[in-house]
Amino acid sequence: VQMADQKAAMAAYNVAAQNPQAVQAGAQALQTAQAGSERAGGVKVVAGAAAAGGVAVAAVVGGVVLPVAAAAGAAYAATRSDGVGDAARATGNAAVAGVAKAKDFEKEHQVGSKIKTIGAGAIEKAKEVNQKYHVVDKAKAGAATAAAKANEINEKYKVTEKVGKGLISGLNRLANALDPKDKQAKVVGK
């Protein structure tokens, strides 16, 4: 293992020696990210802003791609030194405080273990009811029909596309309202 580590280190050294600009650019990017995180109030605040942004968009539009993009945007926004950054940092601080309060509440009241106990009994009862009435099979059939109909409506009326465009427009308006001098916010989604 030690020989493999030495070979990997030597290979990394050779690549760095042949590409000093790339190494320098990477170091600068790391410093910029660290400075932005510090300006935002720390990694927890940036992560809190990202989580809040991702969850908010996921709740509205679902999916994965748009919420991940919103989370990244919220994390970036938290590093800005303007009204948008202030709003994102406040959201991140609220998310961090909310998680801390939830942990304290759980520690004091042990809600999780109580729910787990109740849930175990509910699962057993649900299994009995399902075996008797075949609820899962009926629900699957109903869900498949509903999904097909939803797809049909989406194809016909372009619902997802319209909601996505509306969300982007709303986020652009919010960014412009918070910082009308920021021209970057006007080009998002165009």
Side-chain angles (χ1 to χ4, degrees), residues 12-127:
Y13 174 78
N14 287 335
V15 169
Q18 293 170 359
N19 301 293
Q21 293 87 4
V23 173
Q24 186 178 17
Q28 287 174 342
L30 179 59
Q31 287 176 339
T32 301
Q34 287 173 334
S37 176
E38 288 171 12
R39 186 171 53 250
V43 173
K44 285 184 178 180
V45 174
V46 174
V55 167
V57 173
V60 174
V61 298
V64 176
V65 176
L66 197 55
V68 168
Y76 163 72
T79 66
R80 291 177 47 165
S81 302
D82 56 11
V84 173
D86 292 343
R89 284 188 294 281
T91 302
N93 282 324
V96 170
V99 168
K101 290 284 186 191
K103 285 181 180 179
D104 291 345
F105 188 82
E106 169 59 29
K107 193 178 223 180
E108 183 179 340
H109 300 285
Q110 299 177 352
V111 175
S113 61
K114 291 175 183 175
I115 290 174
K116 186 177 176 182
T117 301
I118 292 168
I123 288 171
E124 287 305 313
K125 188 64 177 171
K127 285 180 182 177

